[in-house]
Short mmCIF file of all heavy atoms in Angstrom, two decimals:
data_model
loop_
_atom_site.label_atom_id
_atom_site.label_comp_id
_atom_site.label_asym_id
_atom_site.label_seq_id
_atom_site.Cartn_x
_atom_site.Cartn_y
_atom_site.Cartn_z
N VAL A 36 -0.93 8.58 11.95
CA VAL A 36 -0.98 7.12 11.75
C VAL A 36 0.32 6.67 11.11
O VAL A 36 1.00 7.42 10.42
CB VAL A 36 -2.19 6.70 10.87
CG1 VAL A 36 -3.49 6.94 11.60
CG2 VAL A 36 -2.19 7.38 9.53
N TRP A 38 1.74 3.86 8.54
CA TRP A 38 1.32 2.92 7.51
C TRP A 38 1.95 1.55 7.80
O TRP A 38 3.12 1.47 8.23
CB TRP A 38 1.73 3.38 6.14
CG TRP A 38 0.65 4.14 5.44
CD1 TRP A 38 -0.10 3.68 4.43
CD2 TRP A 38 0.19 5.46 5.72
NE1 TRP A 38 -1.01 4.64 4.06
CE2 TRP A 38 -0.83 5.74 4.83
CE3 TRP A 38 0.53 6.45 6.64
CZ2 TRP A 38 -1.54 6.95 4.81
CZ3 TRP A 38 -0.13 7.64 6.65
CH2 TRP A 38 -1.15 7.90 5.72
N ARG A 40 4.03 -1.71 7.48
CA ARG A 40 5.29 -1.99 6.79
C ARG A 40 5.09 -2.85 5.57
O ARG A 40 5.82 -2.74 4.58
CB ARG A 40 6.26 -2.64 7.79
CG ARG A 40 7.54 -3.16 7.22
CD ARG A 40 8.53 -2.05 6.94
NE ARG A 40 9.85 -2.59 6.61
CZ ARG A 40 10.21 -3.01 5.40
NH1 ARG A 40 9.37 -2.95 4.40
NH2 ARG A 40 11.40 -3.49 5.17
N ALA A 43 2.75 -0.93 0.30
CA ALA A 43 3.68 -0.23 -0.54
C ALA A 43 4.12 1.11 0.07
O ALA A 43 5.30 1.42 0.11
CB ALA A 43 3.08 0.00 -1.95
N LEU A 51 12.77 5.26 3.62
CA LEU A 51 13.17 6.65 3.83
C LEU A 51 13.63 6.87 5.26
O LEU A 51 14.62 7.54 5.54
CB LEU A 51 12.02 7.59 3.45
CG LEU A 51 11.62 7.61 1.99
CD1 LEU A 51 10.38 8.45 1.79
CD2 LEU A 51 12.76 8.13 1.13
N THR A 61 24.40 6.43 2.51
CA THR A 61 24.23 5.51 1.37
C THR A 61 22.85 5.69 0.74
O THR A 61 22.41 4.84 -0.01
CB THR A 61 24.36 4.05 1.85
OG1 THR A 61 23.36 3.79 2.84
CG2 THR A 61 25.75 3.79 2.43
N PRO A 73 8.98 -6.11 3.24
CA PRO A 73 9.54 -7.13 4.14
C PRO A 73 9.35 -8.51 3.53
O PRO A 73 8.38 -8.75 2.77
CB PRO A 73 8.71 -6.96 5.43
CG PRO A 73 7.50 -6.22 5.04
CD PRO A 73 7.81 -5.45 3.80
N PRO A 74 10.23 -9.45 3.85
CA PRO A 74 10.13 -10.77 3.25
C PRO A 74 8.87 -11.49 3.71
O PRO A 74 8.33 -11.23 4.79
CB PRO A 74 11.38 -11.50 3.72
CG PRO A 74 11.89 -10.72 4.87
CD PRO A 74 11.38 -9.33 4.74
N ALA A 95 -4.17 -6.84 1.46
CA ALA A 95 -4.91 -7.19 2.68
C ALA A 95 -4.61 -6.24 3.84
O ALA A 95 -5.51 -5.74 4.50
CB ALA A 95 -4.61 -8.64 3.10
N ASP A 99 -7.15 -3.40 5.61
CA ASP A 99 -7.34 -3.36 7.06
C ASP A 99 -6.96 -2.00 7.61
O ASP A 99 -7.62 -1.46 8.49
CB ASP A 99 -6.50 -4.44 7.76
CG ASP A 99 -7.05 -5.86 7.50
OD1 ASP A 99 -8.21 -5.99 7.05
OD2 ASP A 99 -6.29 -6.81 7.77
#
Side-chain angles (χ1 to χ4, degrees):
V36 293
W38 266 254
R40 172 77 170 84
L51 295 172
T61 61
D99 289 345

